[in-house]
Amino acid sequence: MNAWITDFINQFGYIAIALLIALENVFPPLPSEIILTMSGFMTTTTTLSIIGVISAATIGSLIGALILYAVGRQLTVARLTRLLDHRLFKTLGFHHDDAQKAVNWFNNHGTSGIFYGRCIPVIRSLISIPAGIAQISLGKFCVLTVIGSALWNTILVVLGAWVGQSWNKIVIIFNEYTTIAIGIMAVICLYFAYRWYQKRIKK
């Protein structure tokens, strides 16, 4: 994978970086850690600059986030409410007004997740969908996404440039961070699934 990413960036420069990061936001399995640290290293061997790479990556992050935000905007509360009225969801313990409650909660507490979520694996992609469902204003969504993405991109690009040919070591470290983060999220999900079962299904 590393070879074709390098070739792609060598051929198309900043456009390639923006496109790869946009795809990574829509398809999380595409590793931003490799793209960004490798791009950071390439600033020491090509005409690419650190500022240019960070800017291209941040634009790509915004494009990918807007795609998922648009998907979320199509999942209106009315549509979700009709979906929750289906027998399957009622069997799973969902109530008619759960969609509106979730949107209200996100509007009150979840907007900071748009910013902080940009630095958490998987969440940095998926957070755009509930933001769209909750119809967070486009301007606010873009500002929080750009700031959060710029922070994440800057860390990885600068580290890639700093360690040079050893950029793979940074990827390994962030892969461990990703594994730990996913593990923590899995435990949290299992906990809330158990609580949901006790309160909604078993009851």
Side-chain angles (χ1 to χ4, degrees):
M1 177 181 289
N2 296 355
W4 78 262
I5 291 177
T6 302
D7 292 340
F8 190 45
I9 295 175
N10 275 326
Q11 187 171 0
F12 298 102
Y14 299 122
I15 294 176
I17 294 171
L19 179 58
L20 287 170
I21 295 299
L23 289 174
E24 182 270 336
N25 274 262
V26 178
F27 304 106
L30 191 65
S32 68
E33 291 83 357
I34 292 178
I35 298 167
L36 293 172
T37 52
M38 181 187 294
S39 298
F41 164 60
M42 292 177 69
T43 62
T44 65
T45 60
T46 68
T47 58
L48 296 175
S49 69
I50 291 179
I51 296 298
V53 169
I54 293 172
S55 299
T58 302
I59 290 172
S61 298
L62 179 60
I63 292 171
L66 285 173
I67 292 173
L68 294 181
Y69 174 83
V71 171
R73 288 297 291 257
Q74 301 305 309
L75 300 173
T76 62
V77 173
R79 289 179 177 175
L80 290 175
T81 299
R82 288 196 297 270
L83 184 64
L84 294 181
D85 283 336
H86 192 278
R87 182 191 302 178
L88 172 62
F89 287 96
K90 287 184 177 180
T91 302
L92 293 175
F94 287 94
H95 297 160
H96 179 82
D97 58 349
D98 280 343
Q100 186 60 58
K101 287 181 179 178
V103 168
N104 292 342
W105 183 92
F106 193 89
N107 281 321
N108 291 329
H109 307 288
T111 53
S112 60
I114 300 173
F115 170 74
Y116 294 111
R118 306 310 302 181
C119 298
I120 303 175
V122 181
I123 296 296
R124 63 173 170 261
S125 297
L126 299 182
I127 193 66
S128 301
I129 296 177
I133 295 173
Q135 297 191 6
I136 300 299
S137 71
L138 183 60
K140 183 177 183 179
F141 176 79
C142 289
V143 169
L144 291 172
T145 297
V146 167
I147 296 174
S149 297
L151 175 62
W152 174 256
N153 296 338
T154 298
I155 291 171
L156 287 174
V157 171
V158 170
L159 284 174
W162 181 48
V163 300
Q165 293 184 347
S166 300
W167 62 269
N168 272 318
K169 294 181 180 178
I170 302 298
V171 173
I172 293 172
I173 293 172
F174 274 89
N175 282 342
E176 293 175 353
Y177 161 69
T178 298
T179 301
I180 293 171
I182 292 176
I184 292 173
M185 286 186 288
V187 171
I188 292 173
C189 287
L190 287 173
Y191 170 75
F192 281 106
Y194 175 75
R195 290 286 302 275
W196 183 275
Y197 171 77
Q198 292 290 327
K199 288 187 174 183
R200 294 289 189 96
I201 301 177
K202 185 177 180 180
K203 182 178 179 181

